[in-house]
Amino acid sequence: MKRYLSLLALCLAFLCSCDQDTNFYVTPDVTAFVFGPEGGSFDDLLFTNGSWTCTVSDDAVTVTPMSGDFTHPFHVDVAENTEHYTKAIRIKFTASLDNLNRTGTVVVTQDCYPFIFCDEPVLSVGPEGGKVRFQVNSNKPWKIDPAQSLQAPSWTEPLSGGPNSTTVTLFIPANDEGRERTFDVVLCLVSDPSVSQTLQVVQSY
C-alpha cells in the first residue's frame, strides 16, 4: 500500500510540474522591428507571469526598463548606425518562475547608409607604369565616373561593380613627362552619384 501511495505522490508532483511549465510564458507583443540607418524608437509589451531581466546584443540599442515583474511595457531606443553593414540586434528577455526559466526575443534589423570606399585611397606607381590593383567596397552598385576623373589612365576589369568587394585593375602608361604626375579616379554609386570616393594615383618619374 505504501508503495502505491509513493507512486501516486510522484505522479501528482509530475502532473503539477507539467501544469506549471505549461502555464509559464514570456512573449513580446511584437517580435520584429525594422529601422533605417538614422535609428528611432518604439514601444512594446512583454507578456509574462514571471520575474524578468533583459539583455541586448548591441550597445546601440537601449531598453527601458531592463527588468521587472509580470507583464510590463518597455521602451526601446535605436541609435544611428554609422557602420558599413546592416545590423541584426537581439533583445532577449529571460523570465523566471520558481525553478523554471524561459526566454523571449525581439529582433531589431537596422540598415546602414549607402557607402563606397577604397582599401587604399592613394596608390604609388613607378615611372614604368603598369598594372595597379585596388579593392572597392560598397553596399550598392558603383561605377567609375570618367567625367570627374582628372587625367584618367586607361582601365578595365571592371568599370563598374558592387555591391560587396570588387578588385579593380588600372593600367598606367609609362611616365615620360619628366615630372611626378597624379591621376584622380572618381568612383560613385550608380543610384546616388553624390556618394563617391576619389582614388589618387601618384606616379614618379
Side-chain angles (χ1 to χ4, degrees):
M1 184 67 178
K2 289 183 178 179
R3 180 184 177 186
Y4 290 118
L5 289 174
S6 297
L7 288 173
L8 179 61
L10 287 173
C11 289
L12 288 173
F14 176 75
L15 290 173
C16 289
S17 174
C18 290
D19 183 62
Q20 184 184 46
D21 185 63
T22 301
N23 292 329
F24 179 30
Y25 58 90
V26 52
T27 306
D29 185 30
V30 182
T31 58
F33 291 86
V34 178
F35 281 88
E38 66 280 355
S41 63
F42 65 88
D43 293 294
D44 202 351
L45 185 63
L46 180 68
F47 294 98
T48 182
N49 55 346
S51 298
W52 56 271
T53 59
C54 174
T55 57
V56 184
S57 65
D58 193 306
D59 291 340
V61 168
T62 56
V63 179
T64 308
M66 291 290 288
S67 62
D69 296 308
F70 313 121
T71 296
H72 201 286
F74 62 93
H75 178 80
V76 177
D77 289 303
V78 182
E80 180 183 26
N81 181 11
T82 58
E83 303 293 343
H84 289 154
Y85 57 87
T86 297
K87 292 183 175 184
I89 304 164
R90 299 176 66 85
I91 303 172
K92 182 180 178 181
F93 296 92
T94 302
S96 302
L97 181 64
D98 294 331
N99 295 321
L100 301 175
N101 291 294
R102 282 192 173 178
T103 60
T105 303
V106 175
V107 177
V108 178
T109 302
Q110 186 178 20
D111 199 4
C112 61
Y113 289 107
F115 68 85
I116 181 170
F117 65 91
C118 302
D119 57 346
E120 296 182 45
V122 179
L123 297 176
S124 298
V125 187
E128 70 282 358
K131 294 182 180 180
V132 178
R133 293 184 175 86
F134 63 95
Q135 207 76 16
V136 179
N137 300 280
S138 70
N139 61 343
K140 296 184 181 295
W142 58 267
K143 64 179 181 179
I144 292 177
D145 187 352
Q148 297 188 61
S149 298
L150 307 177
Q151 303 178 18
S154 60
W155 55 71
T156 56
E157 303 177 7
L159 282 170
S160 60
N164 301 320
S165 182
T166 307
T167 299
V168 177
T169 302
L170 298 180
F171 294 89
I172 310 296
N175 183 5
D176 55 5
E177 297 180 8
R179 61 180 178 84
E180 182 180 271
R181 62 181 181 177
T182 62
F183 301 102
D184 287 334
V185 181
V186 178
L187 307 98
C188 63
L189 297 185
V190 174
S191 59
D192 186 0
S194 66
V195 180
S196 64
Q197 166 75 63
T198 298
L199 172 75
Q200 186 177 71
V201 180
V202 180
Q203 187 177 23
S204 59
Y205 64 95

